[in-house]
Amino acid sequence: MEILQRGGVVALPTETVYGLAANAEDELAVRRVFAIKGRPATHPLIIHLAGVEALPDWARHIPPEARRLAEAFWPGPLTLVLPRTPRATDAVTGGQDTVALRVPSHPVALDVLRTLGGGLAAPSANRFGRVSPTTAEHVRLDLGDDVDLILDGGPCTVGVESTIVDLSSGAPAILRPGGLAAEELERVLGRPVPVRASSTVRVSGSLASHYAPRVGVVLVEPSEAIARAESLRLQGLQVGVLGPARLALPRDFVRFDIPEDAAGAARLLYLRLREADMAGLDVLVACLPPAQGLGLAVRDRLARAAAPRTPEA
Ligand code: TXA
Ligand code: MG
């Protein structure tokens, strides 16, 4: 806590992924977060709050639908984009008139937030463009001595980043599918909440090649996985397969099993991508889950992992 009050940078667990946290009102500390991540200053950060009652300190206009979502899903894997108050500085928002806010549900994060009493600006605790960390060990491997402290709260239970919903103007829209299913949002709001493919705001997760492991990734439907893996192997490549345990894979392939249910797949996805990276493969054949529930977020992250690298990432 003292570290954060003095302007330090602390990696801490949330239920989604580990975050790299700084006092949101300390501009120097926030700039250090950008520097450690290697992230362009124009890509805004999420401010984490201790509870829904802090919302008016940071958002100057709270539409009824935002309040309903906050009350239904906070603490939890939901981020709301709303018009900001001056407390949300340019350093955090990248100069935009909106701010991204969320209340995480991990007890360690909540504990820190309650003691600090303010907001914590925290992106995922990985280098820009790489796979997000879901254990303290991942953070250590990625960022090591660059951070002042790493709090270990065990493996993240959700495993993919929060769902970002824009409620800053007009109808709600999903800017990034994540750990809260679209169906859940729709159930509470009683109307469709579409995914907005392109927006004028800079969502770094929307860069095509974000969340990229180093190994090349090929996307397939589960029914095509074995045939595709075979044909890649015949080209002389070392092939791994990421998919459900029921796949009857020949022994020539390194397998990375993920659960069949979408929530289970989300929880283990980044761990498996890291394992695949370390296995010295030429290519990873990745099975797409159905696009329901958290399957939407898993498909989104796999698609980014498979996208060609851009210099920016
Ligand atoms: O689950 C999560 O959301 C994790 C944990 C640590 O809370 N955090 C996370 O942060 O994923 P980060 O920085 O990796 O992603 C934050 C996303 C970025 O894509 C950023 O562009 C978007 O939030 N964002 C932040 N402020 C925004 C704004 N005002 N309008 C639109 N998007 C915004
Ligand atoms: Mg991130």
Side-chain angles (χ1 to χ4, degrees), residues 143-204:
L143 303 180
D145 294 339
D146 290 355
V147 298
D148 298 318
L149 178 70
I150 300 174
L151 293 174
D152 189 343
C156 300
T157 52
V158 175
V160 292
E161 297 82 351
S162 60
T163 300
I164 303 180
V165 178
D166 184 8
L167 275 156
S168 62
S169 61
I174 294 173
L175 301 182
R176 177 180 73 184
L180 183 69
E183 293 90 333
E184 291 283 293
L185 300 168
E186 292 171 349
R187 180 176 57 78
V188 165
L189 296 183
R191 62 154 150 171
V193 184
V195 178
R196 192 185 298 153
S198 67
S199 75
T200 51
V201 287
R202 290 161 291 241
V203 180
S204 66

Side-chain angles (χ1 to χ4, degrees), residues 23 26 56 64 99 168 210 235:
N23 178 353
D26 184 331
V99 60
S168 62
H210 216 64
Q235 294 169 33

Side-chain angles (χ1 to χ4, degrees), residues 14 16-20 37 39 43-46 48 79 81 92-93 96 98-100 102 122-124 126 160-162 164 175-176 201-206 211:
T14 82
T16 58
V17 300
Y18 273 70
L20 185 61
K37 274 195 69 105
R39 173 157 163 162
H43 287 267
L45 306 182
I46 294 172
H48 297 66
T79 294
V81 173
V92 173
T93 68
Q96 300 186 66
T98 56
V99 60
R102 96 172 182 99
S124 50
N126 53 287
V160 292
E161 297 82 351
S162 60
I164 303 180
L175 301 182
R176 177 180 73 184
V201 287
R202 290 161 291 241
V203 180
S204 66
S206 69
Y211 311 109

Side-chain angles (χ1 to χ4, degrees), residues 29-67:
V30 170
R31 274 203 239 137
R32 237 187 103 209
V33 169
F34 280 98
I36 292 170
K37 274 195 69 105
R39 173 157 163 162
T42 49
H43 287 267
L45 306 182
I46 294 172
I47 298 182
H48 297 66
L49 308 174
V52 65
E53 55 305 328
L55 201 46
D57 296 340
W58 304 90
R60 66 173 189 276
H61 175 60
I62 306 164
E65 289 190 313
R67 192 162 285 286

Side-chain angles (χ1 to χ4, degrees), residues 15-17 132-135 138 155-161 179 257-259 261-273 294 298:
E15 75 281 25
T16 58
V17 300
S132 296
T134 52
T135 68
H138 295 167
C156 300
T157 52
V158 175
V160 292
E161 297 82 351
D257 291 349
I258 50 170
D261 71 292
R267 190 176 309 126
L268 290 185
L269 177 68
Y270 288 149
L271 174 66
R272 292 289 179 260
L273 288 177
L294 298 200
V298 174

